[in-house]
């Protein structure tokens, strides 16, 4: 069965860095797009970043552009989200997601598979 498992979340002070990992299994993802989303308590789930497995093309939300970097290691079926210059407003549960196709969509409904999420807390 398809599984996406996030790890690497934790507590960090503002200005610090954190790296999240998403281990994908259960199928070949070469024809998929991988995305990161986040959701804070009482707020809607929002798009963070996406990357295509085949081309490595990336797409970022304006709120994280220049601070976050999404990448993948194809041989390990793993996607990473490197987060730098973290702000308190980055605090949320971060979810890994996958969708079939090549479009790097920022819409949550476009994604077919989801991980369980990992908590990221940024203190002031």
């Amino acid at each position: 069965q398809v599984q996406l498992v996030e790890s690497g979340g934790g507590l960090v002070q503002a200005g610090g860095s954190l790296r999240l990992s998403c281990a994908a299994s259960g199928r070949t993802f070469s024809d998929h797009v991988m995305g990161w989303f986040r959701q804070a308590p009482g707020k809607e789930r929002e798009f963070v970043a996406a990357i295509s497995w085949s081309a490595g093309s990336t797409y970022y939300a304006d709120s994280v552009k220049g601070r976050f970097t999404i990448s993948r290691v194809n041989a390990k079926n793993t996607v990473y989200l490197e987060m730098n210059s973290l702000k308190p407003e980055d605090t949320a549960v971060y979810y890994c997601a996958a969708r079939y196709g090549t479009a790097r969509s920022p819409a949550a409904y476009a994604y077919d598979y989801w991980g369980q999420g990992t908590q990221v807390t940024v203190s002031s």
Side-chain angles (χ1 to χ4, degrees):
Q1 184 172 328
V2 172
Q3 283 191 302
L4 303 177
V5 181
E6 304 95 334
S7 62
L11 175 64
V12 64
Q13 290 189 337
S17 300
L18 208 59
R19 185 183 68 184
L20 305 183
S21 299
C22 174
S25 63
R27 69 178 300 153
T28 299
F29 292 90
S30 59
D31 56 350
H32 284 65
V33 170
M34 307 298 293
W36 284 98
F37 291 78
R38 65 187 182 186
Q39 187 168 24
K43 296 185 177 181
E44 297 181 354
R45 187 167 298 187
E46 66 174 349
F47 171 79
V48 176
I51 186 169
S52 63
W53 273 108
S54 58
S57 302
T58 58
Y59 180 41
Y60 297 93
D62 289 340
S63 60
V64 305
K65 192 174 299 181
R67 298 188 298 121
F68 291 12
T69 302
I70 187 171
S71 62
R72 83 274 193 261
V73 178
N74 291 353
K76 296 182 178 180
N77 289 326
T78 302
V79 179
Y80 301 95
L81 184 68
E82 183 72 31
M83 304 183 292
N84 300 308
S85 301
L86 283 163
K87 305 174 181 179
E89 50 263 45
D90 294 318
T91 296
V93 175
Y94 283 70
Y95 296 91
C96 179
R99 72 180 301 269
Y100 175 79
T102 58
R104 296 160 294 149
S105 178
Y109 63 76
Y111 288 77
D112 304 301
Y113 309 105
W114 293 84
Q116 82 290 344
T118 185
Q119 177 71 48
V120 172
T121 302
V122 184
S123 62
S124 60

